[in-house]
Amino acid sequence: MTTSPANAYPYRLRLPGPIAIPERIRQATARPIVNHRGPEMRAVLGEIQQLIRPLFGTNGPVLTFGTSGTGVMEASLVNVLAPGEKVLALAHGQFGDRYVQIARALGAEVDVIESEWGWAPDPAIVADRLAKADYRAVITVHNESSTGAVTDLAAIGALLRQRDTLFLVDSISGLGGMELRQDAWGVDIVVTGSQKALMCPPGLAFASVSDKARAVIMREDRCPRFYLDMRKALAGVDANETAFTCPVSLLFGMQEALRIIHEEGLPQVFARHERLSRALRAGCVALGLPAFGDPACASRTVVVASVPEPLTAGAIVKHMYETYNTVVAGARNKLNGRVLRIGTMGQISEADILSDLHYLELSLRALGHPVPSQGCGVAAAIAALA
Ligand SMILES: *Cc1c(COP(=O)(O)O)cnc(C)c1O
């Protein structure tokens, strides 16, 4: 340890992922290891398969991979592309840029529709581009964690239904915290990771596959692939087996996380994320940190607040950590210094966001930022919750 933040304060992990793990889930991950191909593990994988499909909004198979989220972003591309094929990328933030980088690394010819950071891709521009060229796939990010903008997947999916083009979506920070209806919206592959709204430790990831995507995945002429080969994963999915040794402990955690989500009820989980994100955003605005981006497409799993000059997000992050043992995020991209990001995903409550706002106010004051009145952030959040 190089720093020792105020010992009087409990450690509060308030990032937009990884997030704090509920105790029930943490304990599940500590269970004894079982045979990764035995009946105990097949029962776990089978239950996860049944419980996770409603979060994707699909009746199709959901594949399990031992990787971080970026690994399944790559899996979604390496299984459907051949080098030289065309991809249309809708990029509006750091993770959309990463999707572009992966596609280019695999040899795809990538056209990018870049929308302003904080705003969602415009389906009309996508329709226009689709009329001019044929693409193997359209790729985008459902919930752009770097800016807090949510993409209208239904509108874009509707443009692709009658085409051969596949629709690939990164919902790593969205799935489990906000509605996703893969089958109804015409999404072909959705990828997600364990450490965001799914409330588990990092290192486990999932990818769902439509029939339309499966037909392309099964072709022999795709990119060279081995560990992330979805043909291998699909071969075992009905038998509740993974191609390689699965992350047993993380899957114990995921089984418990999904049980918790369904005990609360999916609509209730989504409503809680919506309500708490809205209240935290209102609190930040009251403290003089305006919401970043287009309010019409604001995320429910992350609150992104603008930081007015001469203040910097880095100074707030440092003060929140060193003084209140509370970990929030800045940006590691062109918004560096200018936005503060706080996660509103997982098993959080009103108490969590009110604590965030209380410590944020104290930090802002300590850094010389004029706060309109004492407690105004907390008050605005309470008003929004009422
Ligand atoms: C967190 C995140 C990722 C990256 O996932 P890793 O687990 O760090 O590889 C990708 N996309 C989005 C939208 C994310 O929020």
Side-chain angles (χ1 to χ4, degrees), residues 47-372:
E47 183 175 335
I48 289 172
Q49 186 66 222
Q50 291 317 309
L51 295 183
I52 207 168
R53 286 183 185 181
L55 278 62
F56 283 83
T58 188
N59 293 314
V62 175
L63 309 179
T64 301
F65 293 93
T67 158
S68 86
T70 306
V72 272
M73 292 171 80
E74 178 161 341
S76 73
L77 287 164
V78 77
N79 281 281
V80 307
L81 286 179
E85 286 187 345
K86 284 172 74 77
V87 167
L88 180 61
L90 319 180
H92 53 303
Q94 178 182 343
F95 294 105
D97 286 352
R98 182 176 302 178
Y99 227 169
V100 170
Q101 285 175 350
I102 298 169
R104 291 207 167 117
L106 294 172
E109 196 187 304
V110 186
D111 288 347
V112 183
I113 297 179
E114 174 106 38
S115 34
E116 191 176 341
W117 284 30
W119 272 254
D122 180 352
I125 296 174
V126 179
D128 186 55
R129 196 67 72 91
L130 288 170
K132 295 186 178 121
D134 269 335
Y135 294 97
R136 172 75 282 162
V138 171
I139 61 176
T140 196
V141 177
H142 183 201
N143 182 77
E144 188 34 276
S145 326
S146 64
T147 66
V150 175
T151 302
D152 184 350
L153 299 180
I156 295 159
L159 302 172
L160 300 173
R161 269 194 187 286
Q162 308 306 325
R163 297 172 188 270
D164 290 336
T165 307
L166 298 174
F167 190 19
L168 316 181
V169 170
D170 163 356
S171 190
I172 293 171
S173 66
L175 189 139
M178 46 200 258
E179 186 177 48
L180 178 51
R181 301 178 63 189
Q182 170 170 11
D183 294 353
W185 294 349
V187 184
D188 294 298
I189 299 181
V190 175
V191 299
T192 198
S194 52
Q195 78 274 30
K196 309 275 170 89
L198 290 173
M199 307 186 285
C200 281
L204 172 64
F206 298 99
S208 58
V209 175
S210 73
D211 289 342
K212 185 172 158 187
R214 185 195 281 249
V216 179
I217 290 164
M218 297 314 285
R219 284 169 56 169
E220 296 294 331
D221 63 349
R222 303 295 87 195
C223 289
R225 43 191 159 150
F226 193 87
Y227 183 69
L228 298 173
D229 191 337
M230 289 183 171
R231 291 172 299 183
K232 294 191 185 86
L234 282 163
V237 72
D238 288 337
N240 296 314
E241 283 195 13
T242 53
F244 308 105
T245 308
C246 55
V248 172
S249 306
L250 297 180
L251 288 160
F252 288 155
M254 186 58 64
Q255 177 186 35
E256 201 62 28
L258 292 167
R259 286 176 178 173
I260 290 173
I261 286 171
H262 288 291
E263 281 165 19
E264 184 177 352
L266 214 42
Q268 288 79 3
V269 168
F270 296 153
R272 180 169 53 78
H273 280 75
E274 204 271 327
R275 182 165 176 267
L276 293 176
S277 60
R278 196 163 29 81
L280 178 56
R281 200 172 289 112
C284 290
V285 171
L287 290 171
L289 307 183
F292 180 79
D294 180 2
C297 63
S299 173
R300 284 95 197 267
T301 56
V302 56
V303 167
V304 182
S306 302
V307 176
E309 312 254 18
L311 211 53
T312 67
I316 301 172
V317 168
K318 185 168 186 284
H319 196 273
M320 293 273 280
Y321 175 57
E322 291 183 349
T323 314
Y324 301 110
N325 218 355
T326 290
V327 185
V328 296
R332 300 165 61 86
N333 50 53
K334 69 184 184 188
L335 298 176
N336 183 22
R338 303 280 40 98
V339 295
L340 186 73
R341 300 178 308 129
I342 305 178
T344 51
M345 55 184 93
Q347 205 177 54
I348 64 162
S349 68
E350 299 177 8
D352 293 302
I353 62 157
L354 297 178
S355 299
D356 295 336
L357 290 164
H358 177 58
Y359 297 144
L360 180 57
E361 174 179 334
L362 297 177
S363 298
L364 290 172
R365 284 183 193 281
L367 294 168
H369 172 81
V371 171

